Amino acid sequence: MEDIQKEVHKAFEVIKSGGIILYPTDTIWGIGCDATNPEAIKKIYALKQRAETKSMIVLVNGDRLLHRIFSNIPEVAWDILEFSDKPTTLILDNPKFVAKEVVSTDNSLGFRIVKDSFCYNLIERMKAPLVSTSANISGHPSPMSFKDIDPAIIAGVDYVVNLRQNEDKKVKPSTIIKLKENAQVTIIRK
């Protein structure tokens, strides 16, 4: 736990100063920053060589932060989150409290509630959502472990979190489900 707290502190200092980090999540390795900082988000788009029209998701650590981002959370969202047996990203309409650079062109935003202790504690320290996008150049495969991450990504971030870099378990990206305010449900990725 001591290593996690040390890494949370280092990552927080970088994020607080507008930097971007490379970090392990409860799914694959991600590139992240403060989701309320437009300039930091733009750095991630540039590093990934990704069109700014392709949105990214944010990580939150619980209901309180989720309610700051979305005024209207459909009841089915709580059911999906409660009964999902694997990491699940939900996309909801009309986010607030985040930079417009992280919001999709249809005014929606994907989020995932984290269980990973590093992510949970970092978000608690930030008191803001954490951008999470796969640690790859846009159009290239998502890396399944740290060793698969492109050296250009590693060199391009301001800090690489020193946790779980030697893990070789194959993990999968989260399930993605879009929920419209009219209760329409679309599964984007299983």
Side-chain angles (χ1 to χ4, degrees):
M1 194 62 159
E2 188 175 297
D3 284 347
I4 289 175
Q5 290 308 323
K6 189 168 77 175
E7 288 302 310
V8 165
H9 176 73
K10 288 178 181 176
F12 174 73
E13 291 301 317
V14 169
I15 287 171
K16 186 173 75 171
S17 67
I20 61 176
I21 65 169
L22 179 62
Y23 65 102
T25 74
D26 45 6
T27 59
I28 60 178
W29 276 75
I31 304 170
C33 68
D34 180 340
T36 66
N37 184 329
E39 296 310 312
I41 295 166
K42 288 176 185 172
K43 288 182 193 176
I44 293 176
Y45 277 112
L47 176 61
K48 285 184 59 90
Q49 300 168 30
R50 182 177 178 139
E52 290 190 20
T53 54
K54 289 189 79 178
S55 60
M56 295 184 275
I57 73 161
V58 299
L59 302 179
V60 298
N61 65 349
D63 298 1
R64 191 172 22 144
L65 192 50
L66 197 52
H67 282 292
R68 283 177 76 185
I69 301 171
F70 299 102
S71 299
N72 185 12
I73 302 172
E75 196 58 42
V76 68
W78 301 114
D79 294 338
I80 291 169
L81 293 171
E82 182 179 347
F83 296 111
S84 181
D85 59 352
K86 65 181 204 168
T88 300
T89 298
L90 294 182
I91 302 171
L92 301 180
D93 291 332
N94 304 317
K96 57 188 191 313
F97 182 64
V98 292
K100 68 176 175 41
E101 287 76 7
V102 82
V103 177
S104 180
T105 53
D106 70 353
N107 199 31
S108 66
L109 177 66
F111 74 90
R112 190 168 74 243
I113 298 178
V114 296
K115 292 179 174 54
D116 176 83
S117 58
F118 167 78
C119 293
Y120 183 93
N121 286 295
L122 178 58
I123 295 164
E124 188 69 19
R125 182 95 186 263
M126 291 168 57
K127 307 220 180 318
L130 176 66
V131 168
S132 186
T133 184
S134 55
N136 61 323
I137 303 294
S138 191
H140 293 214
S142 297
M144 294 297 117
S145 63
F146 183 79
K147 68 177 177 38
D148 300 327
I149 298 172
D150 187 313
I153 294 289
I154 295 170
V157 298
D158 298 304
Y159 184 68
V160 177
V161 173
N162 192 20
L163 296 170
R164 297 175 26 213
Q165 292 183 6
N166 296 321
E167 283 184 0
D168 202 23
K169 64 180 181 187
K170 296 300 178 201
V171 293
K172 293 183 174 149
S174 64
T175 296
I176 302 176
I177 301 172
K178 185 168 188 157
L179 302 175
K180 301 295 286 174
E181 285 185 350
N182 66 4
Q184 179 184 355
V185 176
T186 307
I187 296 175
I188 311 266
R189 180 173 66 204
K190 284 189 175 184

